[in-house]
């Protein structure tokens, strides 16, 4: 029988409540000299882009969801036969499953 006693209290807050503010995810990326932003080493199409922890700017200084990350993502540098980054098993798989209540 364990002896763990939790400290603190339930703050009634889950991971999804703080995405991009309090909560970030491990998203595989490389920081290389000469690049303004880190290079992503995974398919990010199945996660909220706020989990990445940084936002790239487009040439007109605006931010545009996942599309703006394409220039920083290594998955697009590897040739593939199908039209889907999922078919590139060389890179990490990153997924997010939001709670059912957040999909309403």
């Amino acid at each position: 029988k364990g002896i763990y006693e939790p400290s603190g209290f339930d703050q009634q807050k889950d991971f999804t409540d703080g995405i991009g503010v309090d909560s970030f995810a491990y998203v595989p990326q490389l920081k290389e000299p000469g690049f303004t932003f880190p290079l992503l080493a995974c398919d990010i199409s199945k996660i909220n882009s706020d989990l990445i922890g940084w936002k790239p700017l487009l040439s007109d200084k605006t931010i545009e969801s996942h599309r703006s990350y394409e220039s920083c993502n290594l998955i697009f540098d590897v040739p593939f036969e199908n039209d889907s980054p999922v078919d590139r098993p060389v890179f990490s798989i990153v997924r997010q499953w939001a709670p059912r209540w957040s999909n309403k």
Side-chain angles (χ1 to χ4, degrees):
K1 188 172 185 175
I3 57 171
Y4 171 75
E5 289 289 328
S7 62
F9 58 94
D10 184 354
Q11 297 178 3
Q12 301 298 313
K13 180 179 175 183
D14 65 22
F15 180 83
T16 307
D17 288 338
I19 289 179
V21 178
D22 299 323
S23 304
F24 298 97
Y26 172 72
V27 178
Q29 48 193 288
L30 305 165
K31 293 182 180 179
E32 290 292 322
F35 289 91
T36 306
F37 296 103
L39 301 171
L40 297 169
C42 60
D43 176 13
I44 60 166
S45 65
K46 303 287 186 193
I47 67 169
N48 181 324
S49 61
D50 290 336
L51 289 170
I52 296 171
W54 54 271
K55 294 191 181 303
L57 296 176
L58 297 174
S59 57
D60 62 358
K61 306 291 187 223
T62 60
I63 298 172
E64 183 188 324
S65 187
H66 284 83
R67 187 162 290 143
S68 59
Y69 289 97
E70 288 180 5
S71 63
C72 304
N73 201 326
L74 296 173
I75 67 170
F76 298 106
D77 293 341
V78 175
F80 60 99
E81 293 179 17
N82 296 330
D83 199 23
S84 169
V86 175
D87 297 322
R88 303 174 204 184
V90 190
F91 296 99
S92 297
I93 297 171
V94 179
R95 296 283 187 267
Q96 171 192 2
W97 287 271
R100 284 185 212 143
W101 59 261
S102 71
N103 296 332
K104 295 179 180 178

